[in-house]
Amino acid sequence: MLELIHQSVFHELTAILLLAASLGLAGHLLKQPLIVSFIAVGLIAGPNLLGIVKSQEQIDLLAELGIAVLLFLVGLKLDLGLVRSLGRVSLITGLGQVIFTSFFGFLIGLGLGFDAVTSCYIAVALTFSSTIIIVKLLTDKKEIDSLHGKIALGFLIVQDLVVVLAMLVISMMDNRPADTQNSALTFVWHAALAVGFVLVFIRYFAHPVLRRISRSPELLVIFAICWATLFTAVADHLGLSKELGGLLAGVSLASTPFRESIGARLASLRDFLLLFFFVAIGAKFDLSHSMDQIVPAILFSLFVLIGNPLIVMLILGKMGYRKRTGLLAGLTVAQISEFSLIFASMGVTLGHIAPSALGLVTFVGLVTIAVSVYMINYSHALYRWLEPVLGVFEFARDKGRFEDDAQVLGHREFDVILLGYGRYGKAISDELLKKGKQVLVVDFDPESALQWQKPGLTGIYGDATDPELFNELPVQAADWVLCCIPHASVGIRTDDPKFVVIQSLRHIDYQGKIGIVANTAHDVRLLQTQGIDLIFQPFEDAGVRAVERMYGAGAAPPEFVQR
């Protein structure tokens, strides 16, 4: 079989893609992101196991192209006005997590016998979390707009900025024997030249050039890839590193209104090419020395899985956020990212660290990503399990000050408490206001407050999956509690917001009526077993309402004309 595969590079790539598709399907069934499957493909296809990879030069070429596209897309998100819009909590949490993780990771590295440079590289690599994975998981759970989702997204962007600075710093520390005498001065000059070109391009050329190119979507894709590889090649020629070139290429287009379109069109290409980056790493991974890395890998993995969330919880607790918000936001940093591997790979290329250090970071990435996915998917259940011991993280004198909107209600009473102010919830609240009802809206998106400025309508921030919320709301005086929160998954589970709402109301012995939105007949049957007073079916209700308007009192049926 191997002889057939190695007859040509095409056969070899086909075998790699077949293995990637198979492991990708297995990872999907296990609810794992593709990056875990890709790392596994590299390890299995490498010389230590199946020995599929022989065309190392071609694999490395595709890997370099994948890194260029990935870093181009990262730079594409780094608009120059980004820092001003990050917010205090994002900057403090992001920078604080990076500093503390680097410091303690460095100490652990020294304690395990690594030299100072290797310990520094490993420590910095442990600070990066995968924005791609976290955004995907939070979006699937419909928590990307929640308070902890917004905080997590903010400090993930801060981490991306740190990635840029870290790559810039190590690019200046090239140990390869070429032009060492004036390397620092040359680097500064070339870096200033590149940044100056980017600023001029942003100011005068980015918008008009892309406006003309965007008329052809196909040309826009080709131009974006060309732009990324051009910057990468020029930066490499100037001694600035290929990675920095890819980032600058993205930054040069980040201020244009076309960046979202470019990012969406290149996302699939990025995922495809990154496969070969992980294959290249796996092909160079020496399993004969991996036994020596098991203990350090386990210790570093535990540090990332437990230590990183604790660091975020401590920072958020000090800033006055509640333990629940701290845990849910902290779990998003319980893994390292593809940038960790790229950062360590740069260290190997520059001669700063040994390949075994890259193998260690790869091992930690495989473990932490695989485990953290389940931690995030079952974060609410994990919180309920850990809640009794998390009170120590609410130590600020003004604890919960960012989330205590419920306290401003005082002794006010409301006819209806509406959980979820999405499209359907807003429509219901508008009808209730027309009937003169006093409505309290509770939503986990703080920005929804802009829509709460109506007579008879009061809105506060709150997460319905937090059982403590119902102890603070004036629930007992309300005639109805309506839950209009969208589904986080197909079918209602014990961690579904609707189920949590029902159990929380039962726990406080709520005597009023409960209304829940359900999207499927299966969910209707499940809710009926819970003794719900009213079950909304938005799609069916909308259909009934449409027919009522068509065939309402005094309205003539429409005539159907046969053609």
Side-chain angles (χ1 to χ4, degrees):
M1 179 62 71
L2 286 178
E3 292 181 1
L4 175 63
I5 291 175
H6 293 148
Q7 284 183 358
S8 70
V9 177
F10 184 81
H11 291 175
E12 187 175 318
L13 293 180
T14 301
I16 292 173
L17 292 176
L18 178 60
L19 182 60
S22 302
L23 293 181
L25 176 59
H28 177 71
L29 295 176
L30 294 173
K31 298 183 179 180
Q32 290 291 328
L34 275 178
I35 185 174
V36 174
S37 299
F38 285 176
I39 294 175
V41 170
L43 295 175
I44 294 174
N48 297 285
L49 294 176
L50 298 183
I52 294 176
V53 177
K54 293 296 182 182
S55 305
Q56 193 66 51
E57 184 177 350
Q58 289 83 353
I59 297 295
D60 288 342
L61 176 61
L62 291 173
E64 291 180 358
L65 184 58
I67 294 175
V69 173
L70 172 65
L71 294 174
F72 169 75
L73 292 179
V74 172
L76 205 61
K77 296 184 296 182
L78 300 182
D79 190 353
L80 294 180
L82 182 64
V83 176
R84 294 193 300 270
S85 64
L86 282 177
R88 178 172 173 265
V89 62
S90 297
L91 283 173
I92 293 178
T93 307
L95 293 177
Q97 182 264 322
V98 167
I99 292 171
F100 280 106
T101 299
S102 301
F103 176 74
F104 289 110
F106 179 74
L107 294 182
I108 294 173
L110 292 179
L112 291 172
F114 293 101
D115 62 79
V117 175
T118 301
S119 298
C120 184
Y121 263 91
I122 294 174
V124 174
L126 298 183
T127 65
F128 305 141
S129 302
S130 179
T131 304
I132 298 172
I133 294 175
I134 299 307
V135 170
K136 177 67 166 59
L137 292 174
L138 293 179
T139 301
D140 289 346
K141 294 183 67 180
K142 301 189 186 304
E143 295 181 3
I144 194 67
D145 291 323
S146 65
L147 181 61
H148 66 269
K150 289 179 179 294
I151 293 174
L153 186 59
F155 61 62
L156 286 172
I157 294 175
V158 173
Q159 287 185 359
D160 289 342
L161 293 173
V162 174
V163 169
V164 177
L165 295 176
M167 290 182 176
L168 179 63
V169 170
I170 66 173
S171 295
M172 299 176 62
M173 302 165 59
D174 193 342
N175 284 343
R176 290 171 294 183
D179 297 329
T180 56
Q181 184 174 1
N182 299 316
S183 58
L185 183 61
T186 302
F187 178 88
V188 172
W189 163 245
H190 287 166
L193 187 66
V195 172
F197 174 80
V198 168
L199 293 176
V200 171
F201 182 82
I202 291 174
R203 178 67 178 85
Y204 297 104
F205 301 102
H207 281 77
V209 168
L210 284 190
R211 188 180 299 113
R212 180 172 295 275
I213 292 177
S214 64
R215 296 173 183 175
S216 171
E218 296 83 2
L219 181 59
L220 183 63
V221 172
I222 296 298
F223 171 78
I225 298 173
C226 167
W227 198 245
T229 55
L230 176 62
F231 266 72
T232 300
V234 171
D236 182 56
H237 176 70
L238 295 177
L240 300 179
S241 85
K242 298 175 182 178
E243 292 80 6
L244 187 58
L247 284 166
L248 288 176
V251 170
S252 69
L253 305 181
S255 62
T256 69
F258 309 100
R259 66 175 185 173
E260 299 298 337
S261 176
I262 294 174
R265 291 177 181 275
L266 292 187
S268 297
L269 178 63
R270 172 202 63 201
D271 295 338
F272 171 74
L273 292 174
L274 277 181
L275 164 64
F276 298 99
F277 170 70
F278 295 114
V279 169
I281 290 180
K284 300 172 184 176
F285 192 75
D286 189 357
L287 286 178
S288 62
H289 298 97
S290 62
M291 297 302 295
D292 300 333
Q293 305 280 17
I294 289 181
V295 173
I298 292 176
L299 291 177
F300 279 123
S301 297
L302 290 174
F303 172 63
V304 173
L305 290 168
I306 301 174
N308 276 0
L310 288 177
I311 290 170
V312 171
M313 291 180 68
L314 286 170
I315 296 173
L316 290 179
K318 183 63 177 177
M319 294 183 67
Y321 286 87
R322 290 180 176 169
K323 56 187 179 184
R324 185 174 182 277
T325 301
L327 176 67
L328 297 182
L331 290 177
T332 62
V333 294
Q335 95 287 123
I336 64 175
S337 74
E338 61 278 4
F339 289 114
S340 304
L341 276 65
I342 293 174
F343 182 77
S345 180
M346 285 184 66
V348 173
T349 302
L350 295 174
H352 297 166
I353 57 176
S356 59
L358 173 59
L360 173 61
V361 174
T362 303
F363 201 136
V364 174
L366 190 61
V367 172
T368 57
I369 293 172
V371 174
S372 67
V373 166
Y374 294 107
M375 294 170 64
I376 295 173
N377 279 332
Y378 297 98
S379 58
H380 298 288
L382 189 61
Y383 170 75
R384 290 194 295 271
W385 183 55
L386 295 174
E387 183 182 6
V389 299
L390 294 180
V392 295
F393 294 98
E394 290 186 343
F395 50 78
R397 179 181 303 174
D398 48 356
K399 64 180 181 180
R401 71 178 186 272
F402 295 104
E403 304 174 61
D404 280 343
D405 289 342
Q407 295 182 356
V408 305
L409 299 175
H411 300 288
R412 296 177 60 186
E413 296 183 356
F414 298 89
D415 300 306
V416 179
I417 295 180
L418 179 65
L419 307 175
Y421 200 56
R423 187 179 303 173
Y424 193 63
K426 183 177 183 299
I428 290 179
S429 69
D430 289 343
E431 293 300 318
L432 289 171
L433 293 179
K434 291 179 182 179
K435 295 183 178 296
K437 302 297 182 182
Q438 293 292 314
V439 181
L440 172 63
V441 171
V442 182
D443 196 276
F444 64 30
D445 183 1
E447 294 183 1
S448 294
L450 298 175
Q451 307 177 45
W452 292 336
Q453 308 301 323
K454 297 180 182 179
L457 182 67
T458 301
I460 65 168
Y461 167 81
D463 192 335
T465 60
D466 183 0
E468 296 180 3
L469 174 69
F470 295 92
N471 293 322
E472 301 177 1
L473 296 177
V475 174
Q476 300 297 353
D479 299 327
W480 282 91
V481 173
L482 303 181
C483 180
C484 299
I485 301 173
H487 279 288
S489 60
V490 178
I492 296 180
R493 309 179 306 181
T494 56
D495 60 345
D496 187 280
K498 299 175 179 60
F499 189 89
V500 175
V501 167
I502 296 170
Q503 296 303 311
S504 299
L505 292 174
R506 296 286 187 252
H507 181 71
I508 63 175
D509 196 26
Y510 172 63
Q511 299 299 315
K513 296 181 179 181
I514 302 175
I516 305 285
V517 169
N519 290 337
T520 67
H522 176 261
D523 291 343
V524 170
R525 289 192 293 271
L526 287 177
L527 290 171
Q528 287 172 340
T529 63
Q530 300 292 321
I532 304 303
D533 299 281
L534 182 61
I535 300 174
F536 301 98
Q537 293 182 269
F539 300 113
E540 290 193 13
D541 292 344
V544 171
R545 177 60 176 161
V547 174
E548 286 179 352
R549 294 183 64 185
M550 292 169 62
Y551 295 96
E559 295 183 2
F560 295 92
V561 180
Q562 187 174 9
R563 302 194 179 198

